[in-house]
Amino acid sequence: MITKILLPTDENLNLAAEALRRGELIAMPTETVYGLAANALNEQAVSNIFRAKGRPNDNPLIVHIAHAADANALCHVTADAKLLMEMFWPGPLTLLLKKKPIIPAAVNAGLDTVAIRMPQHTIARELIARSGCPIAAPSANLSGKPSPTSAEHVYDDFQGKIPYIIDGGTCAVGLESTVLHMAEKPYKILRPGGVTLEALREIFPDIALSGSLLSPLQKGERAESPGMLYQHYSPDATVILLKGKIPNIAAYYAERLHEAENIGQHIRMLCFAEHQKFFPAQTCVSIGSIQRREHFAKNLFRLLRALDKEGVDIIYSEVSELDGIGMAIMNRLMRAAAFQVVDTDAVVLNENKQKELS
Ligand code: TXA
Ligand code: MG
């Protein structure tokens, strides 16, 4: 099969909508990441999503709709859910609600809830509306890889496997939607994203956070969102996070660079624009200003993919504070790094002690 990247013209949107109606898979842009879309009511089409991605069947999908009112046919919309829809839709907020029988078990892994989202991206909504069906769409990456934030990223993973990729440009948010469990109280964030904890707590102050957002699941702990169980967002390169005072991070990185050069390894440092001066320019990549962490969010997956293409072996990265979009950034970074974080303050302190002793 030849995969075509199509501009979102009237004609091309009709082509893609028809393909969806026929039960084919296509990739569509959203404001968060690109989605691998299929008619959510067609079991065969939905199971093809899992096959194409190499995704385990017990990891349920988000159903995307063009109008908030369309949710009523798919799930039980409570008054509280309606309020959040009015506040945050269209936008990067996915609500988990009790499902209605129309949802095929393939979509939600046979659970009693279904995840619903109305994307902000006008092309996504236009395509969904033209297809006339609710659209199941996980991120359009091979399972485990960083999510795609451009049509080219989708092409890299799915060329020859799907007929069309609608090119809607670079995703504005760059990280997947916030997933909020609303089927029981207290409501709980299962995945942080573009709609922040702070914004949601302005409406419902007792919103909780799932326990494993920033740490691995403990042995025997149940995953509230099956997606959390799986390895995620991993580039081929090893990712290691460096925390601590910036001079200590810089000293630690300088030593790693020295070692890497001796054995012919390629390493890179992702750092805030304000901190670039602390690192050797040729191996350091800016993730944007520390004052504008939405740029970090927007660039993270693109940079992980780009550094893989360059053949980088190890990607070191600064960490973000956890407020606002920082929670979503750290949730993805921690997983990309398989939870490897070096406290450079402790390392440098220890080295200084060793020197004093010797
Ligand atoms: O921004 C997004 O949400 C993107 C775009 C394409 O809309 N989609 C996306 O889908 O990120 P996906 O499949 O990559 O992530 C969906 C997450 C998974 O962690 C999944 O386990 C969780 O939502 N999820 C979906 N339905 C669920 C359910 N019924 N119960 C618990 N978790 C659920
Ligand atoms: Mg995904």
Side-chain angles (χ1 to χ4, degrees):
M1 181 188 295
I2 291 177
T3 301
K4 289 188 188 152
I5 301 184
L6 302 178
L7 289 173
T9 61
D10 188 51
E11 198 183 334
N12 287 340
L13 288 176
N14 283 339
L15 264 182
E18 274 162 32
L20 286 169
R21 275 198 297 277
R22 280 198 303 273
E24 290 176 35
L25 306 186
I26 64 122
M28 69 172 181
T30 84
E31 75 282 15
T32 57
V33 300
Y34 275 70
L36 185 62
N39 176 353
L41 304 181
N42 178 333
E43 288 233 48
Q44 187 57 51
V46 171
S47 62
N48 287 341
I49 291 182
F50 288 89
R51 186 158 336 120
K53 276 189 62 116
R55 178 177 173 115
N57 288 323
D58 63 355
N59 190 5
L61 305 176
I62 297 172
V63 179
H64 298 68
I65 53 179
H67 308 281
D70 297 345
N72 296 306
L74 308 170
C75 59
H76 296 277
V77 178
T78 59
D80 283 355
K82 192 153 185 286
L83 179 64
L84 292 187
M85 290 173 181
E86 280 162 10
M87 302 269 319
F88 297 105
W89 280 9
L93 177 65
T94 295
L95 302 178
L96 276 193
L97 295 163
K98 290 268 185 242
K99 69 152 216 165
K100 287 192 172 170
I102 192 174
I103 301 291
V107 168
N108 70 334
L111 299 168
D112 60 356
T113 52
V114 65
I116 307 277
R117 162 164 131 79
M118 176 182 175
Q120 175 113 59
H121 205 301
T122 48
I123 292 164
R125 289 208 308 282
E126 184 59 34
L127 181 63
I128 299 166
R130 288 192 194 196
S131 77
C133 37
I135 296 294
S139 49
N141 52 280
L142 294 175
S143 205
K145 292 285 154 210
S147 295
T149 57
S150 71
E152 290 70 31
H153 295 161
V154 181
Y155 190 81
D156 286 343
D157 283 12
F158 289 101
Q159 71 188 99
K161 288 192 180 175
I162 56 174
Y164 306 124
I165 300 168
I166 300 292
D167 187 348
T170 306
C171 301
V173 179
L175 299 178
E176 305 85 345
S177 61
T178 305
V179 177
L180 182 68
H181 196 313
M182 294 196 85
E184 52 194 57
K185 287 188 176 169
Y187 303 145
K188 194 183 273 186
I189 292 181
L190 303 188
R191 181 178 71 184
V195 173
T196 63
L197 173 67
E198 292 88 338
L200 290 168
R201 278 196 177 154
E202 277 189 26
I203 322 293
F204 298 114
D206 59 348
I207 282 184
L209 284 174
S210 175
S212 54
L213 295 188
L214 299 168
S215 52
L217 281 173
Q218 299 304 305
K219 223 175 168 186
E221 192 183 348
R222 186 180 62 96
E224 291 172 298
S225 181
M228 295 279 181
L229 273 176
Y230 301 107
Q231 195 202 358
H232 252 115
Y233 318 116
S234 317
D236 294 330
T238 300
V239 179
I240 300 176
L241 308 186
L242 303 183
K243 68 172 190 178
K245 295 191 186 67
I246 193 70
N248 291 340
I249 294 178
Y252 182 88
Y253 179 74
E255 284 204 23
R256 299 291 82 71
L257 184 60
H258 181 69
E259 286 168 6
E261 281 170 350
N262 281 341
I263 56 171
Q265 225 180 23
H266 295 293
I267 73 172
R268 288 284 183 279
M269 179 74 211
L270 299 184
C271 71
F272 289 110
E274 291 84 346
H275 297 159
Q276 269 185 297
K277 58 177 178 283
F278 292 97
F279 301 95
Q282 64 284 12
T283 74
C284 164
V285 182
S286 169
I287 48 178
S289 168
I290 200 161
Q291 312 293 343
R292 301 288 306 275
R293 281 174 304 149
E294 63 275 20
H295 292 166
F296 193 168
K298 186 176 173 175
N299 287 324
L300 177 61
F301 289 146
R302 178 181 66 78
L303 287 174
L304 294 181
R305 281 180 175 258
L307 293 175
D308 262 351
K309 277 204 169 168
E310 271 182 41
V312 169
D313 299 300
I314 306 178
I315 303 168
Y316 291 93
S317 176
E318 275 198 73
V319 295
S320 166
E321 299 287 332
L322 295 177
D323 59 316
I325 191 70
M327 172 89 67
I329 293 171
M330 287 310 295
N331 171 268
R332 308 309 192 275
L333 260 185
M334 284 293 230
R335 282 170 172 72
F339 305 100
Q340 276 198 84
V341 186
V342 176
D343 180 354
T344 60
D345 290 347
V347 173
V348 171
L349 189 71
N350 199 21
E351 281 170 0
N352 289 346
K353 271 195 195 140
Q354 300 283 336
K355 275 184 208 149
E356 274 169 32
L357 290 176
S358 62

